[in-house]
Structure formats: structure tokens, C-alpha cells
Amino acid sequence: MENKKILKSGEFLVEETEAKNVFIPEEFNEEQKMIAQTCQDFLETEIYPKLDEIDTGKHEIMVAALKKAGELGLLGIAVPEEYNGFGQNFVTQMLAAETIGAGYSFSVAFMAHSGIGTLPIAYYGNDEQRKKYVSKLATGELIGAYCLTEPNAGSDANSGKTQAKLSEDGKHYIMNGQKMWITNAGFADLQTVFAKIDNDRCLSAFIVERNYPGVVINVDEKKMGIKGSSTAQIFYNDVKVPVENLVGARGEGFRVALTILHMGRIKLGANVLGAAKKAINDSVRYANERKQFGVLISTFGAIKHKLAEQVIKTFAIESAVYRVSSDIDDLIEQNKKSGMDKGRVSIEAISHYAVEAAILKVYSSEVLDFVVDEAVQIYGGMGYSAEMTVEKGYRDSRINRIFEGTNEINRLLVSDTAMKKAMKGEFDLFGIAEKLSANLSNIAEKKNSNENYYAEKKRYIRNFKKVALLAINAATKKFDKKLISEQEVLNNISDIMMEIYIGESTLLRVEKLETLKGNEGVKIYKDMLDVLVFDSAEKVRKSAVDAFSAIEDNVDKLINAVNDLTDVLSVNIKNARRRVADKLIEDNKYKF
Amino acid sequence: MKILVCISNVPDTTTKIKFTNNGTSFDKTDVQWIINPWDELALTRAMDIKDASGGAIESVTVINVGLADSEPTIRKALAIGADKGIRINAEPKDSYFVAAQLAEVLKKESFDIILCGIESSDFNSSCTGGMLSELLDVPSVSSVSFLNIENGQVKIKREIDGGNESVSTSVPFVGIVQKGIAIEPRIPSMRGIMSARTKPLQVFEPVQVDALVEYVNYELPQPKSACKKIEPENVKELVNLLHNEAKLI
């Protein structure tokens, strides 16, 4: 991937990427596959036999599972080697996150510990803090939690009321306040707590040990799903936090919180991917066993449709997950060369991709909800039985649209962040959008007589990008600074952007895959791409029409342009879906 | 003492088996390869013995007869904990071919305990261990379900009809192990995976050996026929079908 231009976040709207410059999951190396297999073996031996026991919420079961994961080194995959970790690159971290993502409640405890519970200190802590805490978090000797949300500060995290006042002797911060929805609260030894020092405008981050006097942990919440994961409120009553436990600089906590959330969002994309594959495997196995009317239900077109849709959407998010993961690795390498602080190179690179992080968070969590819903449906009445893992998967999925920033916040972030970055001059968006909007009559790129399969699909994606740009231009012209209050329109633009990024990532993956598997081997992947792009065109069109109807200016011309731009050649998507489903049914598991 | 574990590179046990070339060869497309489950348990036991030996077991080596594409499987064994890997660079043809290749290398490299799984999950010939001991002219013990070193002595238990049999033997010997040898295979840890790439993996060229068996043709088992339901009162029809259709009575 030499001479690859590293794009700014959101720049995919105005730039094309070559297939050779994206990383695809088919390129995992032997070591990465072995790490994934270890995660899988761990789930199969330590977690799957105990799923019901874990969901009773007894802390000792989850703690034992986390310690076991620690023994295998799985808690230290992202931690640098000097702190007992394995310093793996971001793609490998994501692959592990994907595999563990199929672990139901365990996956949430694992990610809370090894991600948001460990990495704020690993990335922003000083060397002493890292040695004292991170080296023990990496092995599972200590379990971590991340305490940001408060009763009145959820999506608006910086409005938190938890206070930290410097003691008279200057040795401690006296912390008072309350946190809620804290994952791993019931058993975490260590908390990264966000609080404001005196009357600071911004949060600061602190390391708080569980056994500091004044730390009171409530009983676990009773939840819809992920019942085995401990979630509780924590109260801080005059807790003396040593001054050396301030993480990063005073007032830097909000930045820490935001960057860690970007990371959490991207990793959630991987987690969700693993959960989706598990639900697909359950679905197809059942469809291949259950008979009605004397035949297996997997022979029915209606079931094949469901199975194929599960696969296509999952394959699409998988393509985007590893595309952005590898882009992050490239940026980390570049940051290292620029001499950036060693602890911060990773988090800076991860938070660079804020737009893509939000896309993965929203799109993937919604895909998982679709996949688990159809899994229950394929099981029929059995799917409603609490004895089936698809029932658990259905309930556990729902939280993904809520935590790590609600999908409402993240959906807005997709378009808003891209526009803000463009406004800051990181890349030209508005200039291109304005130019494009000036000539609507011949805006759609038409079929080229000798265009091949990929050229055709790329033309569609380019046209979808034009739709996004038209919408951005019209919306900013109409609402200017008030656009942020027009959340519905911003959401329309975000929806278009998500279709573009996910579609483009899938297209580039299939194109690259052809170089590995050849024309014949890639046919089934082209079927998936056909269905995806065909459906995307309709979604892009609908979102754009909604946006332009709300903007009201020049509506007819813009909608005509959108119709041209989303005009894709028809393919027999029923047959394409059937072929995808048939491969799944034949393999009896997700093997794409 | 040194332990050697012979490992086969076999298709994952959930693989859908397909044949090509008119049923004369196994279709390797998209197949995931693993350590033969019996061999993996043997390796697990070898590692357990080594870990508990207080240094008395000097090393655990794994050996495989296979082409370069079996190296990921060998490295997995190294990740599990084996200290060294050996690959004999040949496509395994039959049990005798494999045993003869192993014997040739083992004449040069000496080991005290040589472990083989009782069979491989692909060809299930159950011959290699016995042939190897014969070629090396050392004792062999089959169906080993327990193995330990106590005060320098090899203690073995074998599963026999209705009970266990305790055996001791001199070294070197070939132990042909059953599934009870270890409960679960070891999961490679991150440290193990990281260290696998730096452990030695030696490649030997094969010697000229003719296989004794030629695989002529493979067939998949017939798919199960549909279940026929008969009303409980209709015993006559049941007897008729058992006689004339199933031909069981």
C-alpha cells in the first residue's frame, strides 16, 4: 500500500480510493488468524457452556472469565509490550474484538475492561500510572471500568456535575458526585472517573480505586439484555483521590472522553460484526434442521431472503470495519514517524476517523438489530423461547444502539463532523458541492459503453456522492448556522453518507478479492454487491428526497437530479439473494 | 528427557468434505486446517508433563510430514507451547510412507517419549504409531489414556474393555494416545502465539519411500432417506416395510 494517500475523516465524499489501497479481511496473516482462533476457542470452552450461568449476573462468574481471558493474554492485545501487553496493531485489535463480540454479556464486560477501562490510562496516563495500573489491567490482575455518564449527563457528557476539589494540603482531590450505567461497576478494581476540578469548563480524568473510602457502588441494574454484565451507579462521597491520579492534564478529560468514545465506537463496529455472524450461524443451522410441510425451511424462498439479507448486510459492515481499521494503522505509522508522543499516536489516529467511527457505530448496530430480529423470526416460536441463544442475542443487541453515544448523537455526528472538518479547511467539500449544484441538468454520470462491472458500480457510488454533496450544499445554503437545529435534514445527509461509505467499502473489497480469488471465485461476492448497491440507490434516493422536501428550495430540479443520480441498472436481486443464501445453507455457517 | 509429538495436518472437523477428479482426490478449496484432534491432546499432555517436571523434561518437539502449507499447523503447535518444530517436506501418501519418513528423521534425532494420536481424523488408518515403533525397533503402547513420569519412570494407563490397565515401559517408546489423555486441548495464549514465530522450525527433505497403499476412489456416504411414519395400529405395514423395503428382517 505504498504511496497511499491518507484521507481526512469524511473526505471519502470527494475522493476515490483504489481497491489496492484498502485492507480486506481475506488478507489477515497467519498470526492474526491464530489470535482470532484463540478468542474463538476461549468462547467455546469458557463462555458458551456457561451462558445461562453468566446471565444470572453473579459477579464471581464474570470475574473468573475475565481472569481466564487475562491468563491467555487477551486483555492485553491493545496494550504496549512494556506494560505487559502485546502491542498489536489496530486491525488485530478489531479482529479480536469481532471474535469476542459473539460472546453475549461477556463481550460487553471484556470490551469495557480492555477498551474504555484500560486504554484511557494507557494512552493518556504518565509512565508511573501506566506501570502501576495498566500493567495489571493487561493481565487481568485488576479489572477496569470507565465512569463518564451521570443521571443528567448522558449524550451531553461535558455537563457532568461530579466535582473534584484540591485538598488544602494539595495532596488529594476531594471527589463528590454520582455516575450511572457504569459497566463492570460491581467488580471493577479501578475506575477512570471524569469530574470537573473546581469550576472548570471541561472535565478532567482521574484514576479512582474501588477501595478508596467514600466510593459507594450500588446494586446492579436489572436490564433488558446483557444481563451477565454488571451495570451500576457509583457514588463518590468526599473521596480522596491522590493528585498523582489525574490522567493527562487538568481539563483534558473531555478530550480523553471523546477520543476514547471514538475508539469505543469503532470497536463496537467489530463487536457487532461478531455478534451478527453468531446470529447468522444460529439461523442457518436451525433453518437446515427445521422441517415444515415435509421439507427443510431453508428451502423456502422467504427464508432464503432473510438469510441472504443477514449475510449481505454483515459482509458490508465487515468490509467497512477492516477498511477503516487498516487506515488507522497507516495513520499510526505516519504519526510515529512524525515524532508524536508514543502513548498518543494510536488514540490520535483513531480519533482522526471520527466520521467513519460514527458511521460504523450507527450502521453496524442497526445491522445487528436487523440480523438478530430475523434470527428470532427464522426460529419462529422457538425463537421466542428463552432457551435459545437467538433470544439472548436479540435482547443483547439492543444496547448497541444506545451506548458509546446513542445512534441519534452519532447519526448527527456523521454529517456534522464531516462538514466541520471541511469548514476547518481539512479538505474541500463546499467548493465542490457548490460547483456541482450550479449545473443540475447533466449531473449524473451516464453509462460508459465499455465500462466493466466494477466501473459501473464505481459510477453509481460517484453518483451517490453527488447526491450527498447536493444535499450538503442545499442544506447549508438554506439553514446556514441553524443547520445544527435541523437534525432531521442532517440525519438524511448522514444516511446518504453511510450508504456511500459502506457501499464503497464493499465494492473495493470485492474488486480486490477478485485479484485473490479470480473471476469465478468472486461471483457470489458480486451477487452481494449487486443487492447492496441496488438497495442503497433506493435508500439514498429516499433520504435525499426527504431532505430536499424539507429544504424547499429548488425542490423539483433537485429531485429530478436525485432520480438521475440514483438510477441503477436492474439486476435479478431475487436470484442473487438465493445464490448467497444457498452458499450459506451449503456451508451451514457464515463462511464468506 | 525429550518428548516428541507427531502431528497430522487435517481438515477442520466441521469441514464439508468434497471430492474432485471423479472422486479420486479430496477438494482442498476453502478448507481450514487444524492439528489432528488426537495429536493435539497428546501435545497438551506432553506440555502438562513438561510443566510439572521441574526441568526433567528438557523439551517438547512436534514433527509433521507435509508440504509447506502445513506450517501454520506446526506453528499452532509451537504457539501451544512446543519448543521446536520439524517438518518433513513431503505430501503424506499413506501410513507406511509417513511412518517411514518419521523413522528416518528419528534415527538422527533422539527422543525418549514419542507420542502419536491413535488415528487421524481424515484417513483414520490407525497405523502410523505401530509402524513407527516397528521401524525404530522400540516398544509401543497403544490406547494410552493416561501418561505420567514418576521418579523417572514412565507410567501409563490403557483403556481396555471394562476397565483400565496399568503399564510401564522403558524409553524410548512410542505412545499411541486415546482421547482421555487430556480433557481439553490447550488454547494458545497471546504469549505463545507471539513466541511461535521465533521458535525453530526445521525442514528435512524426505527419503525415497514407496507407499504400500494406493487410494483408488472416495465416495460420500449416502444421504439419509426420509423418515417414514406408520400409524401405531398398522403393525402389518411395519412388518411389511421392514421385510421388503428396509430388508432388516
Side-chain angles (χ1 to χ4, degrees):
Chain A
M1 294 191 198
E2 277 174 25
N3 305 323
K4 175 185 166 184
K5 183 189 171 194
I6 293 182
L7 296 185
K8 301 288 181 190
S9 186
E11 201 179 358
F12 68 85
L13 271 180
V14 289
E15 283 283 342
E16 273 200 76
T17 299
E18 287 183 69
K20 68 175 164 62
N21 285 334
V22 294
F23 174 84
I24 61 173
E26 290 73 14
E27 296 175 301
F28 290 134
N29 64 31
E30 185 187 317
E31 207 165 87
Q32 288 170 323
K33 286 181 196 162
M34 219 190 284
I35 292 169
Q37 189 61 49
T38 282
C39 294
Q40 184 65 34
D41 290 347
F42 172 79
L43 288 186
E44 283 178 14
T45 54
E46 299 295 328
I47 304 300
Y48 290 159
K50 299 176 193 155
L51 282 179
D52 289 337
E53 214 183 333
I54 289 173
D55 266 9
T56 60
K58 284 182 195 141
H59 293 163
E60 60 270 25
I61 301 168
M62 188 62 88
V63 171
L66 285 167
K67 301 267 177 199
K68 188 85 189 172
E71 281 170 28
L72 287 172
L74 301 180
L75 303 180
I77 290 177
V79 173
E81 283 161 290
E82 56 263 50
Y83 308 110
N84 285 338
F86 296 95
Q88 293 295 298
N89 70 9
F90 199 68
V91 168
T92 310
Q93 294 176 34
M94 291 287 272
L95 178 59
E98 178 199 322
T99 316
I100 296 290
Y104 303 92
S105 295
F106 174 76
S107 149
V108 176
F110 176 91
M111 292 311 292
H113 167 81
S114 61
I116 56 180
T118 299
L119 297 177
I121 314 174
Y123 290 148
Y124 291 98
N126 57 37
D127 201 43
E128 274 161 34
Q129 291 168 338
R130 289 172 184 160
K131 268 187 200 142
K132 184 173 176 189
Y133 295 116
V134 176
S135 57
K136 290 180 180 169
L137 289 164
T139 58
E141 191 181 329
L142 293 176
I143 305 291
Y146 176 85
C147 308
L148 177 63
T149 301
E150 298 185 11
N152 293 311
S155 297
D156 181 10
N158 203 36
S159 68
K161 298 274 183 292
T162 301
Q163 288 278 322
K165 286 193 187 316
L166 194 62
S167 63
E168 280 178 11
D169 62 5
K171 288 183 178 168
H172 294 92
Y173 288 102
I174 310 298
M175 185 178 281
N176 278 288
Q178 177 187 359
K179 296 286 172 182
M180 74 185 301
W181 304 123
I182 304 307
T183 305
N184 291 352
F187 48 75
D189 307 284
L190 210 64
Q191 305 156 4
T192 302
V193 183
F194 294 87
K196 283 179 184 164
I197 298 176
D198 300 330
N199 292 316
D200 283 0
R201 195 174 58 85
C202 279
L203 297 164
S204 300
F206 301 87
I207 301 167
V208 177
E209 294 182 24
R210 176 193 186 82
N211 54 13
Y212 287 168
V215 175
V216 178
I217 296 156
N218 226 350
V219 292
D220 281 344
E221 306 282 351
K222 292 196 184 315
K223 304 189 295 292
M224 175 194 288
I226 54 166
K227 288 171 184 283
S229 117
S230 163
T231 314
Q233 292 191 64
I234 304 180
F235 299 91
Y236 302 92
N237 302 323
D238 290 328
V239 177
K240 285 166 84 177
V241 182
V243 286
E244 57 269 24
N245 281 20
L246 176 69
V247 180
R250 175 175 176 167
E252 202 187 10
F254 188 52
R255 177 166 174 74
V256 175
L258 285 186
T259 56
I260 291 297
L261 279 175
H262 290 316
M263 178 203 70
R265 284 166 193 163
I266 291 185
K267 287 202 170 163
L268 183 136
N271 267 162
V272 157
L273 175 60
K277 288 183 184 175
K278 173 73 168 66
I280 293 173
N281 288 342
D282 287 346
S283 301
V284 69
R285 273 178 209 144
Y286 188 77
N288 273 340
E289 280 168 15
R290 171 74 174 167
K291 276 187 177 175
Q292 283 294 278
F293 308 103
V295 290
L296 292 171
I297 63 168
S298 60
T299 58
F300 296 132
I303 299 294
K304 287 188 185 187
H305 180 98
K306 289 179 192 299
L307 292 170
E309 278 297 286
Q310 287 179 315
V311 167
I312 294 164
K313 288 176 197 288
T314 301
F315 183 82
I317 58 171
E318 185 178 44
S319 309
V321 158
Y322 290 105
R323 174 189 183 187
V324 72
S325 305
S326 177
D327 286 346
I328 287 170
D329 274 329
D330 291 344
L331 190 54
I332 290 173
E333 287 310 310
Q334 187 178 293
N335 286 350
K336 275 183 189 164
K337 283 180 199 151
S338 73
M340 189 185 282
D341 173 66
K342 209 170 70 175
R344 298 193 177 191
V345 286
S346 299
I347 193 65
E348 288 298 325
I350 294 164
S351 40
H352 171 93
Y353 285 100
V355 176
E356 292 76 7
I359 290 176
L360 284 187
K361 198 292 170 171
V362 175
Y363 201 95
S364 306
S365 60
E366 289 175 3
V367 163
L368 180 62
D369 260 2
F370 169 85
V371 170
V372 296
D373 185 78
E374 289 292 40
V376 169
Q377 199 64 23
I378 290 166
Y379 271 64
M382 282 308 283
Y384 208 65
S385 160
E387 286 182 16
M388 295 293 123
T389 49
V390 289
E391 184 264 359
K392 196 190 298 296
Y394 180 83
R395 287 184 292 98
D396 288 358
S397 168
R398 192 62 183 80
I399 187 62
N400 290 296
R401 282 165 53 200
I402 300 170
F403 63 16
E404 302 287 356
T406 61
N407 278 19
E408 286 62 40
I409 282 282
N410 273 293
R411 190 170 242 111
L412 292 171
L413 281 176
V414 171
S415 47
D416 187 52
T417 311
M419 286 194 263
K420 278 192 183 134
K421 283 179 182 277
M423 256 175 238
K424 274 196 217 158
E426 290 195 14
F427 59 95
D428 181 21
L429 179 65
F430 299 106
I432 298 173
E434 173 128 33
K435 218 166 139 190
L436 202 65
S437 307
N439 184 11
L440 293 180
S441 50
N442 275 322
I443 191 167
E445 208 181 314
K446 300 287 180 203
K447 183 176 167 59
N448 183 323
S449 56
N450 53 7
E451 77 183 357
N452 68 13
Y453 178 84
Y454 298 109
E456 180 196 327
K457 291 288 190 277
K458 284 181 184 174
R459 178 166 58 82
Y460 295 156
I461 299 285
R462 280 197 298 273
N463 281 339
F464 298 168
K465 288 182 181 181
K466 286 181 179 174
V467 175
L469 294 172
L470 289 184
I472 288 171
N473 187 64
T476 46
K477 284 268 150 55
K478 170 87 178 187
F479 302 114
D480 195 21
K481 293 206 166 72
K482 289 182 186 151
L483 180 56
I484 194 66
S485 309
E486 298 293 327
Q487 297 191 341
E488 299 91 329
V489 175
L490 278 174
N491 281 344
N492 291 146
I493 298 171
S494 297
D495 284 340
I496 299 169
M497 288 175 65
M498 290 197 287
E499 290 300 326
I500 292 167
Y501 191 72
I502 300 288
E504 184 179 67
S505 303
T506 311
L507 160 60
L508 295 172
R509 178 181 181 184
V510 176
E511 189 183 4
K512 192 171 194 184
L513 206 48
E514 185 158 334
T515 62
L516 304 177
K517 285 183 179 262
N519 189 273
E520 204 50 37
V522 89
K523 274 187 171 163
I524 199 82
Y525 301 95
K526 285 183 172 174
D527 281 332
M528 292 205 259
L529 185 61
D530 283 343
V531 176
L532 187 79
V533 173
F534 193 80
D535 283 355
S536 273
E538 203 47 44
K539 289 182 198 164
V540 167
R541 197 191 71 81
K542 171 70 177 146
S543 299
V545 168
D546 285 2
F548 291 131
S549 306
I551 293 166
E552 288 184 333
D553 294 343
N554 207 11
V555 182
D556 293 342
K557 279 190 179 164
L558 282 165
I559 291 180
N560 279 341
V562 167
N563 286 338
D564 279 351
L565 288 166
T566 53
D567 183 26
V568 297
L569 287 175
S570 105
V571 278
N572 188 335
I573 52 167
K574 183 207 77 178
N575 286 347
R577 281 200 185 93
R578 280 199 175 186
R579 286 189 290 268
V580 172
D582 285 343
K583 172 165 165 57
L584 179 73
I585 290 162
E586 160 86 22
D587 293 338
N588 206 25
K589 63 178 171 187
Y590 182 99
K591 208 173 157 192
F592 290 91
Chain B
M1 266 188 179
K2 287 196 212 169
I3 304 180
L4 177 78
V5 183
C6 307
I7 60 172
S8 283
N9 182 37
V10 299
D12 180 90
T13 46
T14 60
T15 306
K16 285 226 161 180
I17 303 294
K18 284 183 253 173
F19 299 109
T20 53
N21 300 333
N22 274 335
T24 54
S25 50
F26 170 56
D27 183 359
K28 294 181 178 177
T29 319
D30 286 340
V31 169
Q32 194 184 340
W33 297 85
I34 59 166
I35 306 173
N36 174 39
W38 285 274
D39 303 342
E40 195 175 13
L41 291 172
L43 173 62
T44 299
R45 185 63 198 146
M47 295 315 308
D48 288 347
I49 294 171
K50 185 191 168 201
D51 290 349
S53 74
I57 302 290
E58 220 176 292
S59 66
V60 173
T61 302
V62 291
I63 190 166
N64 164 263
V65 179
L67 299 175
D69 57 8
S70 69
E71 285 196 1
T73 295
I74 302 174
R75 268 190 292 271
K76 165 114 190 241
L78 297 176
I80 287 172
D83 303 286
K84 183 185 162 189
I86 300 173
R87 180 172 69 82
I88 303 172
N89 188 29
E91 178 93 54
K93 291 178 185 151
D94 72 345
S95 303
Y96 176 73
F97 177 87
V98 171
Q101 297 297 347
L102 293 172
E104 200 58 32
V105 170
L106 297 187
K107 282 175 195 161
K108 290 172 259 177
E109 309 258 325
S110 72
F111 293 92
D112 305 286
I113 300 174
I114 299 162
L115 299 178
C116 302
I118 196 161
E119 59 185 314
S120 64
S121 60
D122 50 0
F123 286 88
N124 309 82
S125 307
S126 308
C127 298
T128 307
M131 287 179 173
L132 177 61
S133 70
E134 184 62 26
L135 292 168
L136 292 175
D137 197 20
V138 299
S140 77
V141 186
S142 68
S143 293
V144 174
S145 56
F146 174 81
L147 170 71
N148 206 7
I149 316 288
E150 289 166 21
N151 306 321
Q153 294 290 306
V154 179
K155 301 284 179 195
I156 291 172
K157 276 188 187 159
R158 299 179 65 238
E159 268 180 24
I160 54 170
D161 255 359
N164 284 315
E165 184 179 78
S166 294
V167 182
S168 73
T169 178
S170 58
V171 293
F173 77 101
V174 176
I176 301 161
V177 310
Q178 254 300 7
K179 279 204 165 157
I181 191 82
I183 300 161
E184 290 275 2
R186 270 196 191 191
I187 302 175
S189 68
M190 283 298 294
R191 198 162 298 288
I193 294 169
M194 296 296 111
S195 62
R197 64 176 113 138
T198 57
K199 288 179 177 174
L201 200 172
Q202 211 177 346
V203 179
F204 286 94
E205 283 310 314
V207 288
Q208 174 55 43
V209 174
D210 291 328
L212 303 180
V213 174
E214 189 192 344
Y215 291 91
V216 182
N217 193 35
Y218 301 102
E219 279 168 43
L220 287 172
Q222 290 297 317
K224 279 182 199 160
S225 51
C227 183
K228 235 173 216 175
K229 287 180 182 163
I230 303 151
E231 292 300 320
E233 301 79 40
N234 202 350
V235 178
K236 253 191 184 171
E237 176 64 6
L238 175 65
V239 173
N240 169 39
L241 287 172
L242 287 172
H243 261 300
N244 300 318
E245 201 173 305
K247 297 191 167 66
L248 286 173
I249 53 174

